[in-house]
Amino acid sequence: ARLIRLALTLSATAVAVIGLLITLLFLGLVFGWHVTIVCTHLDWSDAGEDTQHRGLVQLDEIVAWIGPDLGATQVVVGDLNDASDGRVGSALTDAGFTHLAGGASTAAIGGTAVSLDTVAVRGGGGTAYALGALPPPGSPYLLPDASVPSDHVPLVAEIT
């Protein structure tokens, strides 16, 4: 199986992104492996029934830009500002993507652990997990702290 190890944090530098793109270009040219990776930070919207939910509108634009699932590996990574089973996360699932980290906590907002970030794949598989031992979503937790200088923890993924 073709495997690429991918470690991302939301604060990754441009150098890391360029290195990743060069690696993926190499894999595509040498092995014929085609992969599309979108890294995003969607707008937050109130959890109410707002039909103009900014994150949903942005996700629809991303899915349209990626195009249909034609067998190529397509990956969406980043901060959805929503849980994998929330409105935005569910829309990504409905588009055929699988959230590799499940509903694990990836951030702490307002003193509470939450699941906001994703590594989602369509046309492939893999696993993902958050670096750091965050409690389940809804549990009291404070970030940043001495070991994590952000309110989000990095996600590590293996895409196959």
Side-chain angles (χ1 to χ4, degrees):
R2 290 171 265 175
L3 173 71
I4 182 170
R5 284 189 171 267
L6 176 65
L8 295 173
T9 66
L10 293 177
S11 61
T13 64
V15 173
V17 172
I18 291 169
L20 173 64
L21 294 175
I22 290 170
T23 301
L24 294 175
L25 177 63
F26 173 79
L27 289 172
L29 292 175
V30 174
F31 298 110
W33 188 33
H34 302 285
V35 63
T36 301
I37 296 181
V38 176
C39 183
T40 188
H41 186 168
L42 301 181
D43 282 344
W44 176 86
S45 286
D46 193 318
E49 295 300 318
D50 176 16
T51 58
Q52 296 300 314
H53 190 291
R54 292 183 304 269
L56 284 174
V57 171
Q58 291 171 331
L59 182 64
D60 288 344
E61 292 172 359
I62 290 169
V63 170
W65 178 82
I66 291 173
D69 177 6
L70 299 176
T73 302
Q74 300 166 332
V75 184
V76 175
V77 299
D79 184 346
L80 298 182
N81 267 314
D82 192 25
S84 59
D85 61 352
R87 290 176 67 190
V88 177
S90 293
L92 193 56
T93 301
D94 292 345
F97 287 83
T98 300
H99 296 273
L100 298 182
S105 294
T106 60
I109 307 298
T112 303
V114 292
S115 174
L116 297 179
D117 307 294
T118 195
V119 176
V121 65
R122 178 169 74 177
T127 59
Y129 59 91
L131 285 179
L134 271 64
S139 302
Y141 201 76
L142 292 174
L143 284 178
D145 62 21
S147 64
V148 180
S150 173
D151 58 346
H152 294 258
V153 295
L155 294 175
V156 175
E158 290 185 353
I159 309 296
T160 57

